[in-house]
């Protein structure tokens, strides 16, 4: 019989043997964002559901099928299914535009989507996001894409393992004509489309382009290029020139229309060739020039990205990229005999106050069992306290690598150990 309670389906515990990897990736993301001039923003884990209905879009799978809704009294909340709409809501609510320049904001957040769980697809997942709000310049798109590829590279993922796919989906001026063309194309083939494309065709025709099941039917779908307005075309051309200049390789992907309604112009994803199976997008993003206004702010162009933490980890593991070892305590204090136990606690505290990661037995183990544990957890030094040591206010420090033993006075213990830990 299994445990009585389990985590909700599609939601995972991060256990101590892997939490250091999460800390590592998150720390690298923070560092990386600071390097590019971003500042962190944190928003609540839930928002009024309407925020996502208005931004991600009522006809999208995310909003129509996958949101976790919480009703409390009159209020209807949704656990955030993505990170961009909350950031834009906060940008407007706190008048971040009044800083007078574009805001570069980054975040690390859980998000929730009631999808069918599979490898790389969970119901609670985590995203590292970055948003540049307040500029329409293609240099913002280019810098964001360069930053994302640089991030993966800084984690040790070789550029050959990834593919940046890039597209433009136009703007409210030019997209309607393209939408109509895809709709006509789809209607002519509607009997061959998969069930969900048949239903989404009329509401959201562009989505048939990125349906994996319908690839064969939509290969001849019209590309957007002849429909782009001058502004969208210039934006996309300039972005491509900048990417070439910055040596950021990409592949044009006419099918990349994305599953959220707020996008305008640039859309992109980074695909991992290995490690993710069917859910192979490591990150996705694009421009959303109409979103701030749609949510009640002044017209404000913006561009951003969301990177999946779980998928990044899966790729790092599949590619066997070296990652940090779990942190270990440097010192384990071993008490020989009952009289030594309180002193052991006191000595351990002294070492911790001095900044040395230290642990000791709190379960009344025998000295032999304490020594075994000191070795098992990979401590560098065991500090032994027995009658002889207590009589001299000293401790025997045993180097667990060389087995060398040294008697050190308790007063000098912290400095003695710190010097050795720093030089080893
Ligand atoms: P998204 O493409 O829906 O975009 O999600 C971004 C990334 O989150 C995906 O590429 C993937 O790595 C990860 N992801 C998505 N769903 C799941 C899931 N169920 N399980 C595990 N990982 C998942 C957005 O959410 C936009 N807010 C990105 C953005 C920011 N656009 C502009 N700014």
């Amino acid at each position: 019989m299994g445990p009585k309670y389990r985590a909700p389906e599609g939601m995972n515990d991060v256990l101590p043997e892997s939490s250091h990897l999460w800390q590592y990736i998150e720390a690298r993301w923070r560092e990386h964002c600071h390097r590019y001039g971003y500042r962190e923003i944190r928003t609540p884990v839930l928002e009024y559901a309407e925020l996502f209905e208005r931004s991600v879009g009522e006809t999208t799978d995310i909003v129509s099928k996958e949101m976790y809704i919480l009703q409390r009294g009159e209020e209807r909340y949704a656990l955030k299914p993505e990170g961009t709409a909350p950031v834009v809501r906060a940008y407007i609510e706190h008048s971040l535009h009044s800083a007078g320049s574009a805001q570069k904001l980054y975040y690390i957040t859980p998000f929730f989507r009631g999808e069918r769980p599979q490898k790389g697809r969970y119901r609670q997942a985590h995203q590292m996001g970055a948003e540049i709000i307040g500029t329409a310049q293609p240099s913002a798109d280019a810098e964001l894409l360069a930053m994302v590829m640089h991030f993966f590279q800084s984690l040790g993922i070789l550029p050959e393992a990834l593919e940046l796919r890039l597209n433009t989906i136009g703007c409210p001026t030019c997209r309607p004509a393209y939408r109509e063309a895809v709709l006509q194309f789809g209607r002519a083939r509607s009997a061959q489309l998969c069930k969900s494309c048949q239903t989404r065709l009329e509401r959201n025709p562009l989505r048939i382009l990125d349906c994996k099941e319908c690839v064969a039917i939509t290969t001849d779908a019209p590309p957007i290029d002849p429909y782009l307005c001058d502004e969208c075309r210039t934006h996309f051309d300039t972005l491509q020139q900048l990417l070439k200049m910055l040596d950021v390789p990409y592949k044009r992907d006419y099918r990349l229309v994305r599953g959220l309604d707020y996008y305008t112009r640039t859309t992109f994803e980074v695909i991992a060739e290995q490690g993710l199976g069917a859910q192979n997008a490591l990150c996705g993003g694009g421009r959303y020039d109409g979103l701030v206004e749609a949510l009640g702010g002044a017209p404000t162009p913006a561009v951003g990205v969301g990177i999946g933490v779980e998928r990044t980890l899966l790729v790092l593991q599949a590619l066997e990229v070296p990652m940090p070892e779990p942190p270990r305590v440097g010192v384990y204090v071993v008490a020989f005999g009952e009289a030594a136990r309180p002193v052991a606690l006191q000595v351990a505290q002294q070492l911790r106050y001095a900044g040395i990661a230290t642990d000791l037995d709190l379960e009344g183990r025998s000295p032999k069992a304490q020594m075994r544990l000191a070795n098992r957890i990979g401590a560098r030094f065991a500090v032994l306290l027995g009658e002889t040591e207590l009589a001299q206010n000293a401790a025997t420090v045993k180097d667990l690598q060389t087995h060398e033993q040294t008697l050190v006075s308790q007063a000098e213990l912290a400095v003695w150990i710190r010097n050795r830990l720093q030089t080893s």
Side-chain angles (χ1 to χ4, degrees), residues 281-411:
L282 255 186
C283 74
R287 243 187 199 282
Y288 46 96
D289 292 343
L291 184 56
V292 178
E293 192 179 6
L295 294 179
T300 310
V303 60
V305 64
I307 304 176
V309 178
E310 288 82 354
R311 292 187 192 178
T312 303
L313 257 172
L314 283 170
V315 169
L316 289 170
Q317 281 158 351
L319 297 177
E320 294 178 9
V321 173
M323 282 196 279
E325 292 292 314
R328 295 184 186 160
V329 292
V331 176
Y332 197 84
V333 184
V334 177
F336 286 78
E338 288 313 303
R341 286 189 190 277
V343 184
L345 188 56
Q346 206 179 21
V347 166
Q349 277 307 90
Q350 247 179 51
L351 295 175
R352 291 158 173 165
Y353 289 141
I356 301 166
T358 304
D359 208 357
L360 81 162
D361 171 62
L362 301 173
E363 299 158 65
R365 283 189 173 80
S366 70
K368 210 166 144 191
Q370 292 177 52
M371 281 306 293
R372 260 205 309 272
L373 197 58
N375 280 301
R376 177 142 52 89
I377 62 173
R380 172 69 203 281
F381 295 107
V383 166
L384 316 181
L385 293 165
E387 270 177 37
T388 333
E389 285 85 3
L390 294 197
Q392 302 174 62
N393 279 331
T396 298
V397 183
K398 180 171 181 183
D399 186 323
L400 294 175
Q401 282 169 10
T402 62
H403 304 290
E404 205 180 315
Q405 301 204 23
T406 317
L407 191 73
V408 182
S409 81
Q410 285 174 21

Side-chain angles (χ1 to χ4, degrees), residues 62 82-84 107 111 113 115 120-122 125 127 130-131 258 260 262-263 281-286 288 304-308 311:
I62 295 178
E82 61 102 49
T84 307
Y107 50 90
F111 65 102
R113 295 181 189 174
E115 300 186 87
R121 187 164 76 189
Y122 312 104
Q127 260 183 34
E131 317 284 352
R258 311 268 302 135
L260 301 92
Y262 50 62
Y263 291 112
L282 255 186
C283 74
Y288 46 96
V305 64
I307 304 176
R311 292 187 192 178

Side-chain angles (χ1 to χ4, degrees), residues 253-273:
D253 181 354
Y254 295 94
R255 295 177 173 280
L256 197 66
V257 296
R258 311 268 302 135
L260 301 92
D261 279 354
Y262 50 62
Y263 291 112
T264 50
R265 296 191 172 163
T266 316
T267 55
F268 65 86
E269 281 181 2
V270 175
I271 304 298
E273 307 285 348

Side-chain angles (χ1 to χ4, degrees), residues 132-155:
I132 310 179
I133 308 181
T135 171
Q137 297 296 322
S139 51
D141 313 35
E143 189 200 71
L144 182 81
L145 288 167
M147 162 179 146
V148 167
M149 299 316 280
H150 183 193
F151 177 62
F152 292 130
Q153 198 191 341
S154 77
L155 288 176

Side-chain angles (χ1 to χ4, degrees), residues 180-226:
E180 188 57 32
V182 176
L183 180 62
Q184 294 308 335
F185 172 89
R187 277 185 183 153
R189 293 155 186 79
S190 80
Q192 294 147 267
L193 293 173
C194 77
K195 280 251 147 31
S196 34
C197 280
Q198 285 177 359
T199 51
R200 59 161 81 106
L201 179 64
E202 298 295 323
R203 285 180 298 146
N204 208 343
L206 296 194
R207 289 290 289 165
I208 67 169
L209 299 178
D210 74 352
C211 171
K212 290 193 178 112
E213 267 186 69
C214 298
V215 173
I217 300 143
T218 55
T219 24
D220 306 325
I224 193 169
D225 298 47

